[in-house]
Amino acid sequence: MYRYDEFDAAIVRERVDQFRGQVSRRLDGTLLEDEFKPLRLQNGVYLQLHAYMLRVAIPYGQLDPAKLRRLADIAERYDRGYGHFTTRQNIQFNWVGLKDIPDVLQSLSEVEMHAIQTSGNCIRNVTSDHFAGAAQDEVMDPRPWCEIIRQWSTFHPEFAFLPRKFKIAVTAAEDDRAAIRVHDIGLHIRRRDGQIGFEVHVGGGQGRTPVIATKLNDFVPETELLDYLEAIMRVYNRFGRRDNKYKARIKILVTETGADEFRRLVDTEYAAKTDAEKIALPQAEIDRIHAYFAPPDLTRKPARSQILETAQAANPAFQRWIRVNLHPHKQAGYASITISLKPIGGLAGDATTAQMRVVAKLAEEYGHDDIRVTHAQNLVLPHVALDDLPALYADLDGAGLATANEGLVTDMIVCPGLDYCNLANARSIPVGQDIQQTFADPDYQEDIGRLHINISGCINACGHHHVGHIGILGVDRKGEEFYQISLGGRADHHAAIGDIAGRALSREEVPDAIKRIIDTYRDLRTSAAEPFIETLNRLGHTPFKEAIYAAD
Amino acid sequence: MPLIKNGCVVDNEWTFIDDSTDPDGTGLVTVSLPRYLQDVTRERTRNVTLGVRLTPSDDPDLLLPHLDHLPLIEIEFPKYTDGRGYSLAQILRRRHGYTGELRAVGHVLRDQILYMNRSGFDAFETARADLSQVLEALSEHSAYYQPAADGHPTVFARRHLRPD
Amino acid sequence: MTSVRPKLKPETPKAITAWDTASGQTVWLSADGQWTSDMTRLGVFTGRAAEDRLNEARAQEHLVTDPYFMEVTAAGTIAGRETLRETIRAQGPTVPYGEVPR
Ligand code: SF4
């Protein structure tokens, strides 16, 4: 895992002082709110419905016990004893006072954390595969390149006032767990003739106009990556629309310009770059950063664990958790496990101070100090010995962290919605909770199998409703909350935008409508092995749409 | 409006003449890019030194034949959130090697000046920051990851510099 | 910076609400021109007087951020199409938070 050197530390420390100055100028009236807003946003500070919200960067979802403990301390001291993990692998604190934020940042800097560029019209926190470094299907660990991109994009002087926000995601695995096709830039690391390079996708995104990214380049060699990214950024910065906030994302530029013309613009800009302009990352620097991500020292173990099997036989709940929340590891005798932050009736992605401390301790005891945040708002311990799983489970269970629902219908992505968000049209959390209650029975959930329900409280789509197998969007009808259902979205390597099914439903109608969709699927699937999304694609949406409105 | 250049407050000797105004002036004037391209050849026949004021959508490549004798390029920030000027500055300085004065005009605020300076601006016309604030803004960081027009060695490179 | 909120007719009774700049807390303008986090003390304004109060409030940026009109009844209780939003701003999220469900 990356560690700051004196330069990284200085940059973050200087940022704390800089922001402290900005806050004090805001509070003494020197800085107007209009002038301050972009500055606070570039430091992750929002003004939400009832308080400031601070979004702390967790670059590519990477945490360690010291960092997670510090987040717990901050939640306890400056917030109300919990934090909210987001779809961009970050954490948000909902109740921090502006006057306290410089101290929070100071505290974060002590554990090599910050809130830089977690909002605003700049290059945001880079996201990645939460199983990076552990997954069987990756060509390499993508994190070193995420870290290089993090550093390159931090305080990039040319790209701090882009037309709109800019999100980059990186994966190195065939099974895309980073949703790269719905990012402004999605990078897929490939190996070709022994060389590492990047397949570059551009112009994906959600929000008001969801678009699946266009492939811009099959293979950009690793040494050219940053220069190529700068070429894209410069074309976007110069030519992206600034006349209309809703048309300002790069996806609109790509669509309006046409993919071929956009590619030509990028190629021209890239070709025009003189040697003096190039970033020229020294090979020693690439190597230095890669070295931080050396795999943990995992003792060789047999592929099967007697301890695990005995414990499974003795405890059906544990057995279920293993079945559902375990992901295979590169190395025999180990697994990656998902710690679900989606208990039935809970708040998706929320973790209390106590829970954060439990996870930090367990990562130390069983997880080689490695913790990840997933874009589905859960946590992952990527490297756990199979032998340790029973003990790990027992401790997680004691902290309310052993819900066995990873990837199942109750593992929903839910945005904060009108309970917190100043832009919301409707609440998301209670709707999610109602749906969870409908499917609370774990056997029922397992029978349904993999199914992603994503809920957003407005068209900004923070809850990724466009790419949910079932998407739910909150809308406001003369002060009443209504919910629009869409079908068939997906965020993986077959990324697709869902289709709106029909008229919006009242909040009370939603859980039963979802249940009818799912029961229709169970009736129509070829076997329990055919996942919802495949049945939907095979049969088309009609039977499912009919199910939604069957109560009419 | 106060003009800050190379760490000092200086007198602004230049006047911007918009396209609707009579071109016959004397002294130091900046004009729009289209007008500059039209007038530059006639410059010497008149008693005027021409500089140019770019808007964010202008193509800086068009200045390429004139950069050697251009004393001043102003880049306008109609709104401080409009970041196109940073790209124009980087292109002029780093790609085209422009060495004359590059001045940020328009909505120029204290907290943008560091990025402007890194992108190649050496002069700032601002109503919203005094000299001490500008100097303070310019000293907020001691290390930078990316190469930019200010020529600072990058952190990526500094990490591997061997002390002699 | 102003939020885009539904336009209210001049005669509609309204309160002025904002965020306390230092803490981020929801505050309301009382009848005697004080910012208060006690909703029962909010002042009810209409017409020209309401506009004047809002303009004054906007000039106090270092104290409060983004003041705007919210619809209330003549008695000062939340009303209109943003009732849910304003109730949440006043009372907090509608779901229990910061605890582990059982
Ligand atoms: S989707 Fe809308 S309601 Fe939900 S968090 Fe984003 S902006 Fe807020």
Side-chain angles (χ1 to χ4, degrees):
Chain A
M1 177 172 336
Y2 188 71
R3 299 304 311 265
Y4 283 7
D5 68 358
E6 71 268 29
F7 295 106
D8 303 301
I11 287 169
V12 168
R13 216 174 35 238
E14 287 161 0
R15 167 53 147 202
V16 175
D17 295 341
Q18 183 184 44
F19 194 68
R20 196 181 286 284
Q22 291 168 351
V23 168
S24 78
R25 281 185 281 133
R26 173 71 186 96
L27 294 176
D28 72 18
T30 318
L31 261 179
L32 305 174
E33 173 62 10
D34 226 9
E35 298 169 344
F36 179 61
K37 192 177 177 188
L39 303 177
R40 67 166 160 80
L41 289 176
Q42 299 219 354
N43 213 37
V45 182
Y46 282 75
L47 192 49
Q48 290 291 41
L49 272 188
H50 17 235
Y52 288 99
M53 179 268 274
L54 174 67
R55 182 183 293 152
V56 174
I58 303 177
Y60 38 96
Q62 176 78 64
L63 284 173
D64 63 26
K67 292 184 167 80
L68 188 53
R69 282 208 180 88
R70 185 56 59 95
L71 294 173
D73 295 346
I74 288 167
E76 187 173 64
R77 169 136 187 230
Y78 297 101
D79 201 280
R80 298 191 178 174
Y82 69 107
H84 174 74
F85 290 97
T86 76
T87 56
R88 301 214 70 256
Q89 303 180 301
N90 292 320
I91 188 169
Q92 295 177 174
F93 294 112
N94 290 302
W95 305 94
V96 202
L98 180 62
K99 57 185 188 331
D100 291 332
I101 287 175
D103 292 338
V104 174
L105 298 177
Q106 172 73 42
S107 175
L108 288 167
S109 72
E110 291 161 12
V111 292
E112 305 180 5
M113 296 185 83
H114 60 73
I116 297 164
Q117 291 171 211
T118 53
S119 180
N121 295 339
C122 51
I123 304 176
R124 302 285 190 87
N125 182 38
V126 57
T127 55
S128 188
D129 184 349
H130 46 265
F131 294 132
Q136 289 179 340
D137 59 345
E138 67 185 16
V139 303
M140 67 168 280
D141 185 342
R143 290 174 301 164
W145 282 103
C146 293
E147 177 58 28
I148 290 170
I149 293 169
R150 180 191 78 81
Q151 296 189 16
W152 158 78
S153 61
T154 297
F155 301 139
H156 198 301
E158 190 176 338
F159 307 127
F161 295 94
L162 296 167
R164 199 78 177 83
K165 59 189 168 183
F166 204 91
K167 302 175 180 178
I168 302 178
V170 189
T171 187
E174 231 20 80
D175 182 7
D176 174 12
R177 290 172 289 261
I180 66 163
R181 284 165 187 79
V182 286
H183 279 78
D184 296 286
I185 291 181
L187 300 173
H188 192 140
I189 303 185
R190 304 272 184 198
R191 198 183 285 278
R192 193 191 265 181
D193 307 327
Q195 212 196 355
I196 292 290
F198 296 80
E199 183 181 290
V200 179
H201 299 259
V202 70
Q206 305 194 49
R208 194 168 290 246
T209 321
V211 180
I212 302 296
T214 305
K215 188 163 37 151
L216 195 64
N217 198 314
D218 281 321
F219 195 84
V220 176
E222 57 177 354
T223 48
E224 294 174 40
L225 177 70
L226 295 184
D227 287 311
Y228 190 78
L229 293 179
E230 281 202 348
I232 300 175
M233 298 309 305
R234 183 172 283 173
V235 167
Y236 172 54
N237 190 39
R238 289 189 61 193
F239 304 114
R241 286 183 63 173
R242 291 174 184 268
D243 57 327
N244 179 341
K245 177 175 172 199
Y246 300 112
K247 303 204 169 187
R249 295 287 291 270
I250 195 173
K251 61 192 172 190
I252 305 294
L253 178 64
V254 175
T255 323
E256 289 183 351
T257 317
D260 289 336
E261 175 61 10
F262 182 81
R263 185 179 295 111
R264 194 192 65 74
L265 288 171
V266 170
D267 288 348
T268 307
E269 168 57 35
Y270 185 62
K273 222 176 199 201
T274 60
D275 281 350
E277 290 176 87
K278 295 221 164 117
I279 296 183
L281 209 53
Q283 187 59 45
E285 178 60 6
I286 298 178
D287 295 344
R288 186 191 77 91
I289 290 179
H290 277 71
Y292 282 107
F293 297 92
D297 196 9
L298 304 178
T299 359
R300 290 183 73 82
K301 289 190 180 274
R304 288 178 60 175
S305 157
Q306 197 56 53
I307 301 173
L308 171 62
E309 285 171 20
T310 310
Q312 278 183 286
N315 180 352
F318 173 60
Q319 189 168 37
R320 182 192 307 278
W321 183 76
I322 292 292
R323 246 188 346 256
V324 175
N325 286 30
L326 180 144
H327 192 84
H329 196 279
K330 269 180 190 171
Q331 185 161 329
Y334 290 83
S336 301
I337 69 105
T338 299
I339 299 171
S340 168
L341 299 181
K342 317 287 177 64
I344 305 299
L347 278 72
D350 280 15
T352 65
T353 295
Q355 288 179 320
M356 290 188 236
R357 288 179 180 146
V358 167
V359 173
K361 174 176 98 50
L362 295 174
E364 264 164 7
E365 279 177 43
Y366 307 115
H368 297 266
D369 291 346
D370 199 335
I371 306 155
R372 310 290 173 80
V373 183
T374 79
H375 93 273
Q377 305 176 282
N378 293 314
L379 299 177
V380 159
L381 300 183
H383 318 285
V384 185
L386 299 181
D387 293 344
D388 291 333
L389 289 171
L392 174 71
Y393 174 80
D395 284 352
L396 287 174
D397 198 26
L401 288 167
T403 311
N405 63 354
E406 194 279 319
L408 301 183
V409 57
T410 57
D411 182 10
M412 289 176 275
I413 293 178
V414 184
C415 85
L418 191 56
D419 284 296
Y420 291 96
C421 176
N422 197 16
L423 303 172
N425 285 325
R427 284 173 293 170
S428 306
I429 299 167
V431 185
Q433 289 174 337
D434 291 349
I435 297 171
Q436 275 195 322
Q437 296 296 354
T438 311
F439 298 100
D441 175 1
D443 286 326
Y444 188 23
Q445 287 187 54
E446 256 200 277
D447 176 77
I448 297 164
R450 292 198 78 77
L451 202 169
H452 300 316
I453 298 182
N454 295 351
I455 310 177
S456 304
C458 81
I459 193 64
N460 288 320
C462 306
H464 294 192
H465 66 278
H466 295 299
V467 293
H469 299 163
I470 300 174
I472 301 176
L473 166 66
V475 292
D476 170 86
R477 293 279 159 78
K478 299 200 171 84
E480 297 286 323
E481 298 167 292
F482 275 83
Y483 297 88
Q484 206 169 58
I485 313 283
S486 56
L487 294 169
R490 58 199 292 183
D492 59 7
H493 44 297
H494 299 297
I497 305 299
D499 285 333
I500 295 169
R503 72 162 177 90
L505 306 176
S506 70
R507 184 175 148 203
E508 294 67 39
E509 292 175 295
V510 172
D512 286 342
I514 303 294
K515 186 167 187 321
R516 287 193 300 272
I517 299 174
I518 289 174
D519 288 341
T520 304
Y521 151 68
R522 288 166 79 231
D523 291 342
L524 298 178
R525 64 187 175 188
T526 50
S527 76
E530 185 181 57
F532 172 81
I533 190 69
E534 280 168 28
T535 308
L536 184 81
N537 288 343
R538 178 169 58 81
L539 295 174
H541 294 187
T542 311
F544 301 94
K545 284 186 190 167
E546 284 168 359
I548 295 176
Y549 303 105
D552 286 3
Chain B
M1 204 179 289
L3 175 66
I4 295 170
K5 189 180 170 186
N6 298 328
C8 303
V9 179
V10 297
D11 287 336
N12 184 7
E13 297 166 335
W14 291 80
T15 317
F16 173 67
I17 311 237
D18 70 32
D19 288 357
S20 60
T21 309
D22 180 4
D24 292 322
T26 54
L28 306 171
V29 298
T30 53
V31 293
S32 70
L33 178 64
R35 180 142 158 201
Y36 176 81
L37 295 173
Q38 196 180 49
D39 286 6
V40 64
T41 48
R42 296 191 286 126
E43 177 185 11
R44 267 165 247 292
T45 66
R46 301 185 349 235
N47 221 356
V48 49
T49 306
L50 275 188
V52 64
R53 175 174 288 198
L54 300 182
T55 66
S57 59
D58 282 337
D59 179 358
D61 293 355
L62 298 176
L63 287 174
L64 204 45
H66 312 291
L67 289 177
D68 283 348
H69 50 265
L70 243 177
L72 171 67
I73 301 176
E74 296 177 326
I75 296 180
E76 193 186 337
F77 288 80
K79 235 180 119 185
Y80 74 98
T81 47
D82 186 333
R84 288 176 289 182
Y86 299 93
S87 287
L88 302 191
Q90 293 256 29
I91 290 170
L92 286 165
R93 288 285 196 220
R94 303 184 69 213
R95 179 161 303 160
H96 300 328
Y98 173 67
T99 54
E101 178 177 338
L102 191 55
R103 185 184 291 187
V105 301
H107 201 190
V108 178
L109 304 180
R110 178 217 182 273
D111 294 282
Q112 279 67 46
I113 281 175
L114 177 58
Y115 286 148
M116 287 176 174
N117 182 247
R118 292 218 66 213
S119 299
F121 291 96
D122 55 357
F124 312 94
E125 196 181 279
T126 170
R128 294 281 295 134
D130 63 24
L131 178 63
S132 70
Q133 289 170 324
V134 170
L135 295 178
E136 189 183 61
L138 291 176
S139 65
E140 278 174 342
H141 279 293
S142 64
Y144 308 100
Y145 289 114
Q146 352 31 39
D150 60 356
H152 276 289
T154 65
V155 165
F156 293 134
R158 285 171 72 185
R159 284 174 172 143
H160 302 278
L161 284 182
R162 300 255 161 274
D164 299 316
Chain C
M1 197 61 219
T2 43
S3 300
V4 184
R5 309 261 49 107
K7 256 199 117 39
L8 301 178
K9 295 201 178 91
E11 65 275 18
T12 305
K14 40 187 92 74
I16 294 172
T17 183
W19 290 263
D20 178 79
T21 296
S23 69
Q25 266 190 26
T26 305
V27 287
W28 298 270
L29 191 66
S30 68
D32 60 356
Q34 304 294 308
W35 291 103
T36 173
S37 55
D38 174 2
M39 199 184 174
T40 61
R41 291 186 48 214
L42 64 73
V44 180
F45 309 100
T46 52
R48 199 47 227 256
E51 294 291 341
D52 291 346
R53 288 302 183 97
L54 184 60
N55 285 332
E56 283 165 32
R58 287 191 174 135
Q60 303 176 9
E61 279 210 349
H62 58 294
L63 289 181
V64 296
T65 298
D66 200 3
Y68 64 91
F69 287 141
M70 62 180 254
E71 188 173 344
V72 289
T73 62
T77 55
I78 300 170
R81 69 175 278 177
E82 299 221 298
T83 298
L84 178 60
R85 170 193 158 92
E86 293 306 334
T87 306
I88 292 172
R89 281 188 77 238
Q91 296 172 7
T94 62
V95 285
Y97 55 85
E99 53 194 62
V100 180
R102 42 198 94 247

